[in-house]
């Protein structure tokens, strides 16, 4: 191993783990997924949000970490979920449930 | 009337009027007997209970009135909603949503690569992949992604990763037209973005010059079909297909036009034996033409193979549950003998059968349940091992055939931001090719 690797390794380790770790720990807490579920329209099927939360957890985590619902607006989630429907071959019923959950949980 | 008669009438009158009053006065003054007292007390209790009941009845009446008003309000609102929804088309737009919506997404990464390699240790600019999604109502989506990267000599490389229109035909089928990421396997289509990929790079054979197709240009039908308690997913594609490279290999990326009339046909079918387990199988078949030198045409009747069949098949499996993610993919391709011009043989050369085979297994575990420390929660060790073998193309084999082991530790700053540190051991299988050990750091961000 080259001699300059070890200082570089140390520096990069500090930059990529220690620094970001401190930033992350001092930053705002991540939004709980279903924090504002009570804000959903009571006229809608309340079980759709529950089904959506379950499908969101099972489906999205097959490929990547679960993104917080608060990351996107209702409109953006609409587009993003359609994109994921195509990419992941998701069933339409799951897509509708997941979208209802995300839009009910994003505080927007 | 006589006097005696008047006296008699007066006495009778006094007796009839005065005696009852006298008797009543006598009775009030005397204490009631026990039976009467008990009756009087019982009467008082009944009067009190009656008053209580009147209060309860009044309260119940008030509650019932409120409930009736609330029920009527609910009925009115239901009728209002029904009035609004009844004329809606099959692909409705959510209230308040514009017909066209869009979303800017993508990912980027930066890093450092060093170690026991022929080149110097270096910071790398990584990639910047912006992706645009435009959606019309709920049935059409355009999605496109660019990839920008800086080369070692400072040039900026750009590439259109995909540019496709998705038309939702029904609940089970989406029509995809354009340049799309290859649906073969899982890695290229779903796992290669740096904020999703647990390791800094692609597995051996699943990147450039590998067996994994990156993209194709054509048309796809894809979606999901219920199958009992589980479901099948499918992606069936017809595209321009692969093309022979000037080095005599096979280029597996989407071309803007076809160089022959033989389209590629392939795709992937997946299913879920259990919710956490997905298994799939992929297949692709096509024909590739050799590159002809216009100045040196092949004589008619030479019998040389001017095109060859190309086949690729693979299997994949992924188990993801809680902090655990285990993945496996296998791909194998074969191309028959082919007469073609190459950079080294511009007048043409008969290439032998070309076979490529690659697989990898990967295991990662998020330490979310190991301690109360937030720092520990964000750590994720990962290990990956894979092999890539090539026969029928010595230069390609010398450059790429290898066994590769990766071991790394990831730190998740957020669900879409990851800092990766890892080691990569490349054991080249061609004798005489020196092995390499890489130290890699990468910061990836998905947005």
């Amino acid at each position: 191993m080259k001699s300059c690797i070890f200082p570089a390794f140390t520096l990069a380790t500090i930059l990529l783990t220690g620094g970001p770790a401190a930033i992350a720990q001092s930053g705002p807490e991540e939004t709980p997924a279903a924090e504002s579920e009570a804000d959903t329209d009571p006229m809608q099927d309340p079980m759709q949000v529950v089904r959506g939360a379950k499908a969101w957890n099972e489906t999205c985590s097959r490929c990547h970490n679960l993104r917080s619902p608060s990351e996107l607006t209702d409109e953006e989630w609409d587009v993003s979920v359609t994109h994921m429907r195509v990419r992941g071959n998701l069933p339409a019923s799951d897509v509708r449930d997941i979208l209802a959950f995300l839009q009910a949980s994003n505080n927007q | 009337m006589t006097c005696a008669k008047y006296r008699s009438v007066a006495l009778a009158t006094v007796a009839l009027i005065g005696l009852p009053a006298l008797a009543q006065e006598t009775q009030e003054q005397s204490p009631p007997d026990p039976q009467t007292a008990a009756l009087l007390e019982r009467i008082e209790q009944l009067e009190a209970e009656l008053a209580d009941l009147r209060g309860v009845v009044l309260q119940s009446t008030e509650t019932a009135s409120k409930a009736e008003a609330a029920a009527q309000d609910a009925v009115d609102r239901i009728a209002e909603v029904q009035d609004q929804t009844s004329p809606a088309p099959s692909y409705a737009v959510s209230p308040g949503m514009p017909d066209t919506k869009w979303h800017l997404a993508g990912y980027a990464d930066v890093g450092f690569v060093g170690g026991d390699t022929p080149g110097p240790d270096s910071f790398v600019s990584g990639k910047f992949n912006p992706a645009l999604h435009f959606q019309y109502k709920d049935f059409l989506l355009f999605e496109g992604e660019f990839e920008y990267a800086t080369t070692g000599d400072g040039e900026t490389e750009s590439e259109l990763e995909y540019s496709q229109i998705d038309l939702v035909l029904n609940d089970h089928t989406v029509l995809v037209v354009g340049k799309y990421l290859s649906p073969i396997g899982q890695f290229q289509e779903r796992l290669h973005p740096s904020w999703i990929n647990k390791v800094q790079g692609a597995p051996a054979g699943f990147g450039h010059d590998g067996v994994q197709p990156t993209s194709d240009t054509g048309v796809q039908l894809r979606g999901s079909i219920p199958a009992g308690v589980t479901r099948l997913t499918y992606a069936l594609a017809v595209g321009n297909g692969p093309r022979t490279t000037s080095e005599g290999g096979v280029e597996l990326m989407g071309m803007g036009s076809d160089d022959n009339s033989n389209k590629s046909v392939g795709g992937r079918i997946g299913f879920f034996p259990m919710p956490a387990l997905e298994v799939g199988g992929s297949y692709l078949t096509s024909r590739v033409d050799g590159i002809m030198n216009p100045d040196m045409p092949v004589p008619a009747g030479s019998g040389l193979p001017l095109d060859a069949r190309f086949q690729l098949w693979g299997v994949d499996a992924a188990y993801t549950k809680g902090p655990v993610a285990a993945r496996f993919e296998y791909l194998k391709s074969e191309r028959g003998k082919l007469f073609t011009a190459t950079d080294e043989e511009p007048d043409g050369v008969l290439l032998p059968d070309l076979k490529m085979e690659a697989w990898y297994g990967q295991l990662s575990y998020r330490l979310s349940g190991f301690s109360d420390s937030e720092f520990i929660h964000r750590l994720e060790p990962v290990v990956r091992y894979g092999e890539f073998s090539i026969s029928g193309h010595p230069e390609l084999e010398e450059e790429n055939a290898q066994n590769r082991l990766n071991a790394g530790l990831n730190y998740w700053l957020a669900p879409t931001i990851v800092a990766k540190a890892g080691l990569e051991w490349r054991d080249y299988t061609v004798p005489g090719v020196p092995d390499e050990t890489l130290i890699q750091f990468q910061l990836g961000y998905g947005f």
Side-chain angles (χ1 to χ4, degrees), chain B residues 383-412:
Chain B
V383 61
R384 176 202 282 167
Y385 179 77
E387 297 182 355
F388 182 30
S389 61
I390 303 168
S391 66
H393 197 303
E395 294 80 13
L396 206 59
E397 182 183 12
E398 181 178 332
E399 190 176 342
N400 295 287
Q402 61 188 277
N403 304 326
R404 184 182 294 183
L405 174 65
N406 291 85
L409 184 63
N410 300 334
Y411 182 86
W412 291 93

Side-chain angles (χ1 to χ4, degrees), chain A residues 69-84:
Chain A
S70 61
E71 283 193 30
L72 302 179
T73 65
D74 285 359
E75 198 173 304
E76 290 170 331
W77 274 127
D78 200 347
V79 180
S80 181
V81 168
T82 304
H83 162 70
M84 292 314 305

Side-chain angles (χ1 to χ4, degrees), chain B residues 80-136:
Chain B
E80 185 180 344
V81 170
Q82 286 175 338
D83 288 344
Q84 291 174 352
T85 56
S86 55
S90 56
Y91 290 109
V93 178
S94 302
M97 292 280 186
D99 284 353
T100 295
K101 294 151 279 188
W102 68 284
H103 176 220
L104 176 60
Y107 63 96
D109 59 72
V110 296
F112 175 88
V113 177
D116 188 10
T117 64
D121 304 338
S122 177
F123 290 99
V124 290
S125 64
K127 301 183 295 293
F128 168 44
N129 289 52
L132 282 167
H133 306 145
F134 291 91
Q135 179 176 325
Y136 183 75

Side-chain angles (χ1 to χ4, degrees), chain B residues 53-82:
Chain B
L53 285 172
R54 282 177 178 156
V56 171
V57 168
L58 285 174
Q59 194 173 2
S60 299
T61 303
E62 189 177 352
T63 304
S65 299
K66 290 180 179 175
E68 187 178 11
Q72 185 59 47
D73 182 52
V75 169
D76 292 344
R77 293 185 64 186
I78 289 171
E80 185 180 344
V81 170
Q82 286 175 338

